[in-house]
Amino acid sequence: MGDVKRRSYRTSIRRGDAPARICEAASRLFSSQGYLATSIDEIAAEAGVARPTIFSAVGSKSTILRRVVDQSLAGDDEAVPIARRPWWREAIDEPDAVRSVQLCARNMCMINLRSAPLLRALETAASVDVEAGRVWDRFQRQRHDGLSEFAMALQQKTTRARYDESTMTDTLWMLTPDAYLRLVHDAGWPLDRFQDWLSDLLVRLFLDSD
């Protein structure tokens, strides 16, 4: 399915290289043509591996989906949760409230740059596919928990917060990836324009001016 250029099968691919190649190929295909429309055979062809290698190196299609979503959010395949990544901790630990919000906006843009098209495909598939629905629900829970940690930290470092932790969490949760997709992908905003807009919006929403 789809009109995707395939990579030639390479018998020289080492087993240790296969998982990364498979996940990269699956991410491209899921993002461009959708999760449901992508077959295991297409992933194998795009990755340049034999079909059985898909299952031995990574697993089922739903397992591949979970893995590529996690990697796109974190930026790599290291077994380190986003909540412990230095770039995420920087926003949490920053003592200045305005700068903390700006760093949060930066992080949201970084994550969406890597993952927004994939998440759009995942959300579409989640409404009709049970396994995709489970991956989507897990992603939403994890994202909400991470944003709640940021909102709690922001509350504790300033007396200028205009909303409670729950309202700030839900506001952040609502804005991305939807606003990113609408403005960057659909309206064609440059990433730096979107980040500046998001930073300014969040500071105005969350913090009273002096």
Side-chain angles (χ1 to χ4, degrees):
M1 295 182 182
D3 185 20
V4 180
K5 184 178 180 180
R6 304 301 181 213
R7 300 175 185 276
S8 60
Y9 172 54
R10 290 172 51 196
T11 57
S12 61
I13 293 175
R14 295 176 300 176
R15 179 175 176 80
D17 296 334
R21 291 180 62 89
I22 291 165
C23 289
E24 289 167 4
S27 182
R28 288 192 295 271
L29 293 174
F30 293 160
S31 298
S32 63
Q33 65 185 35
Y35 173 73
L36 297 178
T38 300
S39 68
I40 289 292
D41 287 338
E42 288 181 297
I43 296 172
E46 176 72 8
V49 301
R51 190 177 196 276
T53 303
I54 299 287
F55 299 98
S56 62
V58 182
S60 66
K61 185 177 165 184
S62 61
T63 299
I64 296 170
L65 177 64
R66 288 194 298 272
R67 190 156 171 173
V68 299
V69 168
D70 287 346
Q71 290 180 11
S72 72
L73 296 173
D76 56 48
D77 60 358
E78 297 294 324
V80 180
I82 289 178
R84 289 170 48 198
R85 300 273 173 160
W87 48 268
W88 183 259
R89 299 310 313 171
E90 184 182 11
I92 300 290
D93 298 336
E94 167 59 48
D96 179 76
V98 172
R99 179 59 179 160
S100 178
V101 171
Q102 292 170 340
L103 289 170
C104 180
R106 177 205 65 184
N107 291 344
M108 293 167 75
C109 288
M110 285 170 46
I111 291 171
N112 281 280
L113 178 63
R114 296 190 296 259
S115 65
L118 177 63
L119 295 176
R120 173 180 270 178
L122 173 59
E123 183 177 16
T124 300
S127 62
V128 293
D129 183 87
V130 173
E131 289 300 326
R134 292 193 181 113
V135 176
W136 176 253
D137 289 343
R138 183 178 68 113
F139 159 68
Q140 292 285 58
R141 287 194 303 271
Q142 291 175 339
R143 187 165 69 96
H144 199 275
D145 288 346
L147 294 172
S148 178
E149 181 188 19
F150 171 79
M152 182 184 301
L154 185 62
Q155 282 277 354
Q156 294 173 350
K157 68 183 65 171
T158 182
T159 59
R160 298 168 50 197
R162 299 182 63 189
Y163 299 104
D164 60 24
E165 174 194 332
S166 176
T167 301
M168 288 195 292
T169 299
D170 289 344
T171 300
L172 291 165
W173 181 76
M174 173 271 296
L175 279 170
T176 58
D178 298 286
Y180 177 92
L181 284 165
R182 296 293 175 266
L183 295 176
V184 177
H185 278 254
D186 297 343
W189 281 25
L191 182 62
D192 57 352
R193 179 186 178 189
F194 178 78
Q195 183 172 325
D196 289 344
W197 171 82
L198 184 61
S199 295
D200 181 66
L201 175 67
L202 294 179
V203 169
R204 290 173 183 269
L205 278 174
F206 291 164
L207 303 174
D208 282 325
S209 59
D210 290 330

